[in-house]
Amino acid sequence: MFGFGHTNKLRMDEAQPTSLLDIGAQNVIGKPLDRYEGPLKVTGQAPYSAEYSFPDMVHGVLVGARIASGRVVSIDAEAVKSLPGVIDVVTDYKAFIRNSGQGGETKSPTQGVEEIAYFGQVIAIVLAENYEAARDAAIQLPVAYENGEGRFDFAAHKSETDTPPPNNTPAHFSQGDLAAAMSEAATIVDETFTTPSQNSAAMEPHASVAMWEDDKLIVYGAYQIPTKDAMQLADALGLSKDKVRIVAPYIGGGFGSKLGIAPETTAAAIAAKRLGRPVKAVMLRQQVFDATVRRSNTEQRIRLAADAYGRLIGIGHETLTSNLPGEDFFEPSGIGTHFLYPGENRLITHDQVRLNLVLSGSMRAPGEASGMLALEVAMDMLAEKMELDPIELRRRNEPLVDPEKNIPYSSRSLRQCLDEGAERFGWDARHARPGQRREGEWLIGMGVASAARSNILQQEEARVRIDASGHATIETAMTDIGTGTYSVLSQVAGELLGLDPRAIEIRMGDSDLPASNGSGGSWGACGSGSAVYLACEELRRQIAKALGVEPEAMTLKDGHAIAGNRSVPLSEIVGEGMEATGSISPGKQKDAVTQASFGAHFAEVAVNAVTGETRVRRMLGVFAAGRILNEKTARSQCLGGMTFGIGAALTEEVLHDTRNGKLVNHDLAEYHIPVNADVPQLEVHFVSERDHHANPLHAKGIGELGISGAGASIANAIYNACGVRVCDYPLTLDKVLHGMMELEQKGQPV
């Protein structure tokens, strides 16, 4: 029995110059503590979505369309029902979802699967007593189609575009006169870059285990935002939101692909209702590629206009992306260009090409990840034209205020990141002219790129309880997708309540818990951590009141409250228990300052002069993201982002057959993510800063910062190594070799 709980609400209307974390006595904030849930994961005790099992459970295997445009004429369920172990074939042409849900949406994704929009679209689920029987029947299930005329070739249709609605940034933005700036500039760059479709390739496939308890649906699955995903599912099935519960305590990676419900979610739920039994539906790896989301391919034109000093007077970033007809999401490749560099004349646009390819959606660092592959290479090209060091060019383009909004930055340590990175990396040993360093067949080069990622605060709630024994419990619908949220929340509460973080119980990833916007957009730990902070702040007030002192006169440490000459165990103070809820929401600070995390990437590569093969020899990243809450988990996130950058630069590419829309390389054998041999020892450092405008923790998101600009540093290093500038990602050996052959034909061998 807990005492009456209070809610401590904070709307971020004003900066928070002080933080209770600065006076905590536990000294755990920022420390590289091991993962809270680590022992459970390494011993196999942390249940992932496909591992849930319930009595009388049925196995379901999804059936994907074998055409990319047209309609389903018939599904011959009777042809497979007689197979051993097969129970039923379920489809619901109206209720099954065609596309995965987008992050933050509360309404159902596009429903209706009779009309086929892309190859692999889920149209049915086969149910059997065991997985093998369901898979066998799904392969044999006869489906008749009526073919339609699809659009599969981006190049063939890129002149046919529309302008989508905003996606965290306006689709079209203009300021001043870019054309005039280009004509008046001392030096210009005008280059087009292309990036391919990519897949999140999370280790854990999408999976759902659905069961009904009376009229309430419970789904155990891989979902990044349980609160809103439950709303999406309720809307899809015509239920009230209190009739749907989503449980996702452990997620084996998401990178944006699990922000919303996916086709297996509704299929499992509808099948479980029809059978009256729990249904488990796990996507095959190929189905994850075929029928969830991809990062859109892009074509980006970058224009830079600089004066004689190298100061930008104009900047243009025009992007073409692709998506399904009727879908609003677009890859916001120019989102970082709005605030990263100055230039009074600006043009940043996004236009959409409609194709019958799997849904385009959020993938880690949507916008910055693709956009900075272009922008940061263009900056390198400008530096070369002006005979400036690339770091010096960036120093000369350090804006004092946001160049479009004319408001200050909440904090901006980009220059410090560049300077510290240059010293640590040994940048002064770089040769300005390409092709000057050779080791046998290998040409060695260095590259640099800025990193930037918008910082976002979402509304979050968390409940913290202290029971009669003095132990604390945190409850929130927030999720941990491998980012370290369990650890960070335990550290925040441990610091503020004077408890051992490892002894705090954490309940997360359940839509029945206090509402959360989940893991996505790098807002997770900072937002939910702030909600925990506010709940603990309220508990500190309650404890101080029980002691008869002011909160400022009290210290909480080692499970005791210390005030005056007294040291009292919390168990003696809280009585039957104390409880508080913290709630944080964005406010005026969102518009008063520009909030972003910044960093700098440095790469050294070796390019084989005979084969064109590129090997990354070393990478170093220096990042500034406000207060670092856990040095180990933050470093891990940056290492992962830099590895993402290696893949984007050199290997990753979803290939679509332009004749029929089929995804050609839809597994981890043919979609080439970086493996151990591709990734050198990566070095990560942090610049110490506090962002008082972001939240009470003074911390900013870091998860997606590590990928932003990482691939561009590799592209720039390749150019420095061999003199070949490839603007069509990924930078595979055939493209590099072709460039070296062209140089040789021009009499410029490297």
Side-chain angles (χ1 to χ4, degrees):
M1 185 76 180
F2 287 85
F4 181 74
H6 297 270
T7 298
N8 187 16
K9 295 184 178 181
L10 175 65
R11 176 182 161 94
M12 282 300 295
D13 287 323
E14 297 180 358
Q16 303 288 306
T18 62
S19 173
L20 291 173
L21 296 180
D22 293 319
I23 61 171
Q26 291 290 103
N27 195 30
V28 295
I29 285 295
K31 300 299 182 183
L33 301 189
D34 291 343
R35 287 183 181 272
Y36 174 95
E37 79 289 6
L40 294 177
K41 288 182 174 179
V42 299
T43 57
Q45 298 178 73
Y48 289 90
S49 53
E51 297 176 317
Y52 285 97
S53 183
F54 298 96
D56 206 27
M57 187 175 71
V58 173
H59 294 265
V61 171
L62 303 174
V63 178
R66 309 310 295 169
I67 63 171
S69 179
R71 60 183 294 271
V72 177
V73 175
S74 64
I75 298 175
D76 188 0
E78 298 301 321
V80 298
K81 282 185 179 181
S82 60
L83 295 174
V86 175
I87 300 170
D88 201 357
V89 177
V90 174
T91 192
D92 188 323
Y93 287 144
K94 291 185 178 180
F96 273 29
I97 61 172
R98 186 187 78 179
N99 302 329
S100 293
Q102 300 283 11
E105 295 293 329
T106 58
K107 297 297 184 182
S108 170
T110 302
Q111 291 178 272
V113 297
E114 187 173 13
E115 300 296 322
I116 304 300
Y118 59 90
F119 194 98
Q121 176 183 309
V122 173
I123 56 176
I125 184 170
V126 177
L127 307 168
E129 297 292 352
N130 58 72
Y131 170 75
E132 291 77 13
R135 181 181 60 183
D136 182 50
I139 292 170
Q140 296 188 53
L141 182 67
V143 181
Y145 302 99
E146 179 183 295
N147 280 287
E149 186 175 345
R151 295 157 58 96
F152 315 119
D153 189 341
F154 181 81
H157 295 283
K158 69 180 185 179
S159 62
E160 307 163 31
T161 65
D162 59 67
T163 301
N167 175 26
N168 293 319
T169 190
H172 282 201
F173 173 86
S174 64
Q175 175 181 295
D177 188 337
L178 178 60
M182 293 291 286
S183 65
E184 297 167 2
T187 309
I188 66 168
V189 169
D190 188 344
E191 189 63 64
T192 298
F193 300 82
T194 57
T195 65
S197 296
Q198 296 175 340
N199 187 273
S200 294
M203 186 179 295
E204 178 196 29
H206 291 62
S208 294
V209 181
M211 57 194 300
W212 293 79
E213 293 183 354
D214 298 323
D215 61 345
K216 183 166 184 175
L217 171 63
I218 304 174
V219 178
Y220 297 81
Y223 303 99
Q224 294 179 225
I225 313 179
T227 298
K228 291 188 174 177
D229 293 342
M231 296 180 186
Q232 289 184 12
L233 184 53
D235 187 57
L237 301 179
L239 302 172
S240 59
K241 62 182 181 180
D242 63 318
K243 296 297 183 182
V244 176
R245 178 188 177 199
I246 282 183
V247 183
Y250 301 101
I251 301 168
F255 313 114
S257 69
K258 298 170 183 171
L259 288 171
I261 62 175
E264 98 286 345
T265 315
T266 50
I270 291 168
K273 184 71 170 179
R274 182 174 298 187
L275 266 62
R277 298 170 62 179
V279 171
K280 177 189 288 188
V282 182
M283 279 192 168
L284 305 175
R285 180 63 64 183
Q286 292 83 358
Q287 291 173 332
V288 172
F289 276 78
D290 286 343
T292 57
V293 292
R294 63 183 171 96
R295 189 198 297 279
S296 174
N297 62 302
T298 72
E299 181 178 290
Q300 305 173 52
R301 182 188 183 190
I302 302 288
R303 285 183 283 176
L304 302 177
D307 63 18
Y309 180 69
R311 183 80 172 176
L312 289 171
I313 60 172
I315 186 166
H317 196 161
E318 299 162 88
T319 302
L320 292 180
T321 68
S322 67
N323 208 344
L324 287 163
E327 297 295 330
D328 290 339
F329 178 92
F330 66 88
E331 178 76 12
S333 299
I335 193 168
T337 309
H338 284 287
F339 63 83
L340 186 52
Y341 297 121
E344 55 270 31
N345 302 288
R346 311 173 72 81
L347 178 66
I348 304 170
T349 65
H350 304 83
D351 290 292
Q352 198 90 285
V353 180
R354 301 298 177 177
L355 299 175
N356 292 102
L357 304 178
V358 64
L359 180 72
S360 169
S362 295
M363 182 173 157
R364 197 175 197 187
E368 289 96 341
S370 58
M372 296 186 74
L373 286 171
L375 177 62
E376 287 303 292
V377 173
M379 286 292 286
D380 202 65
M381 297 169 74
L382 179 62
E384 183 190 31
K385 279 191 171 185
M386 301 200 72
E387 298 183 350
L388 281 175
D389 182 277
I391 294 177
E392 177 58 28
L393 176 66
R394 288 168 172 83
R395 288 194 190 106
R396 296 183 185 188
N397 283 283
E398 183 68 10
L400 298 177
V401 296
D402 184 300
E404 293 175 8
K405 300 177 182 178
N406 197 32
I407 56 176
Y409 295 91
S410 60
S411 67
R412 181 180 167 116
S413 301
L414 174 57
R415 181 163 180 169
Q416 294 93 314
C417 292
L418 287 164
D419 291 346
E420 181 177 332
E423 181 177 353
R424 289 180 178 273
F425 195 68
W427 183 254
D428 57 356
R430 170 185 176 270
H431 295 277
R433 193 160 68 88
Q436 299 305 296
R437 182 179 168 195
R438 185 164 185 151
E439 298 176 5
E441 291 184 355
W442 297 93
L443 299 160
I444 314 301
M446 293 184 185
V448 66
S450 299
R453 166 67 181 166
S454 300
N455 185 64
I456 304 170
L457 176 66
Q458 296 277 29
Q459 185 167 349
E460 294 286 339
E461 290 184 359
R463 183 166 51 237
V464 181
R465 293 171 171 152
I466 304 177
D467 63 23
S469 67
H471 290 89
T473 300
I474 299 170
E475 294 180 323
T476 172
M478 175 62 185
T479 54
D480 189 330
I481 57 174
T483 48
T485 308
Y486 277 106
S487 301
V488 167
L489 298 191
S490 72
Q491 285 175 264
V492 171
E495 190 71 79
L496 296 184
L497 298 179
L499 298 172
D500 183 347
R502 294 166 295 185
I504 297 173
E505 181 183 355
I506 303 178
R507 297 180 59 213
M508 288 202 318
D510 188 331
S511 62
D512 278 0
L513 296 176
S516 170
N517 273 283
S519 296
S522 299
W523 60 65
C526 295
S528 58
S530 294
V532 169
Y533 174 102
L534 294 170
C536 292
E537 183 180 44
E538 174 56 33
L539 285 173
R540 289 173 64 94
R541 282 195 282 263
Q542 294 180 36
I543 294 168
K545 183 177 180 181
L547 277 177
V549 299
E550 293 298 319
E552 297 79 12
M554 177 187 69
T555 298
L556 298 181
K557 185 178 181 181
D558 299 331
H560 288 67
I562 304 167
N565 294 320
R566 293 182 296 164
S567 178
V568 185
L570 286 181
S571 57
E572 295 183 14
I573 300 172
V574 300
E576 295 182 349
M578 290 182 177
E579 174 183 304
T581 298
S583 176
I584 192 165
S585 60
K588 295 178 182 178
Q589 284 297 298
K590 178 171 65 71
D591 300 316
V593 291
T594 292
Q595 295 186 32
S597 301
F598 295 92
H601 291 283
F602 293 80
E604 180 181 280
V605 306
V607 178
N608 192 286
V610 178
T611 67
E613 175 192 357
T614 295
R615 293 182 183 177
V616 181
R617 304 202 342 169
R618 61 191 179 104
M619 287 185 73
L620 179 145
V622 181
F623 305 102
R627 184 198 301 271
I628 301 301
L629 301 173
N630 182 311
E631 187 178 335
K632 180 174 287 188
T633 59
R635 179 177 180 272
S636 178
Q637 285 298 288
C638 293
L639 293 175
M642 292 163 74
T643 303
F644 255 70
I646 294 172
L650 300 179
T651 64
E652 293 191 45
E653 179 179 18
V654 166
L655 297 169
H656 304 279
D657 191 323
T658 57
R659 301 167 301 173
N660 54 27
K662 185 175 182 180
L663 208 164
V664 178
N665 56 336
H666 57 175
D667 56 40
L668 295 182
E670 298 299 329
Y671 180 79
H672 296 153
I673 60 174
V675 297
N676 191 59
D678 299 315
V679 183
Q681 287 298 114
L682 307 179
E683 195 173 337
V684 171
H685 300 276
F686 299 111
V687 168
S688 178
E689 69 168 16
R690 300 284 186 269
D691 192 329
H692 302 157
H693 302 269
N695 49 58
L697 308 180
H698 300 166
K700 294 189 285 192
I702 201 169
E704 293 165 302
L705 180 63
I707 185 177
S708 302
S713 71
I714 295 171
N716 292 336
I718 290 173
Y719 177 76
N720 184 247
C722 65
V724 174
R725 184 77 74 180
V726 180
C727 298
D728 176 29
Y729 291 93
L731 313 182
T732 49
L733 60 84
D734 55 315
K735 299 172 186 175
V736 176
L737 184 59
H738 177 74
M740 289 194 290
M741 292 171 63
E742 285 189 331
L743 287 178
E744 188 172 352
Q745 291 171 0
K746 295 177 181 177
Q748 305 172 20
V750 178

